[in-house]
Amino acid sequence: MTERFHIQALGQVEGDRGWVNDLVIARWGADVVVTRGIVHRPARLPGWVAWQSGERVGLLTYRLSGGACEIVTLDSLRPGMGVGTALIKACLLYT
């Protein structure tokens, strides 16, 4: 059974940006991510945070350019439970 997640826009909770920075460094090896030759700082990008039982369990950051939405980072801290899918759905519906 897939557990439900609460998806919230990044930056609505105190400490979100610091958490993003720490997560990106831990999982990506640096506080920057490069896509298509563009250097991104995920902690400064818009995004979505997945919550479960009061705990952050996933992150999606994105950038908008030319009418398109590019996902820059997608991280699930609970693999196989639908966190990534929930984040992508939120991005598609509300971005």
Side-chain angles (χ1 to χ4, degrees):
M1 178 177 175
T2 302
E3 295 187 42
R4 292 191 164 276
F5 306 100
H6 171 73
I7 307 296
Q8 190 168 26
L10 182 59
Q12 291 188 356
V13 174
E14 183 70 31
D16 267 358
R17 298 294 175 180
W19 174 78
V20 170
N21 197 59
D22 292 345
L23 178 71
V24 170
I25 290 170
R27 297 187 58 118
W28 295 78
D31 66 345
V32 297
V33 174
V34 179
T35 64
R36 300 177 186 203
I38 299 170
V39 177
H40 304 281
R41 294 195 179 279
R44 296 182 186 167
L45 293 174
W48 300 97
V49 179
W51 292 81
Q52 183 180 49
S53 302
E55 182 180 343
R56 293 176 185 99
V57 296
L59 170 70
L60 180 150
T61 61
Y62 64 91
R63 77 176 186 103
L64 299 174
S65 177
C69 178
E70 177 186 7
I71 293 174
V72 175
T73 65
L74 177 60
D75 293 281
S76 170
L77 304 179
R78 302 245 171 98
M81 296 184 67
V83 175
T85 300
L87 287 164
I88 290 171
K89 285 181 180 178
C91 191
L92 290 170
L93 288 173
Y94 304 114
T95 301

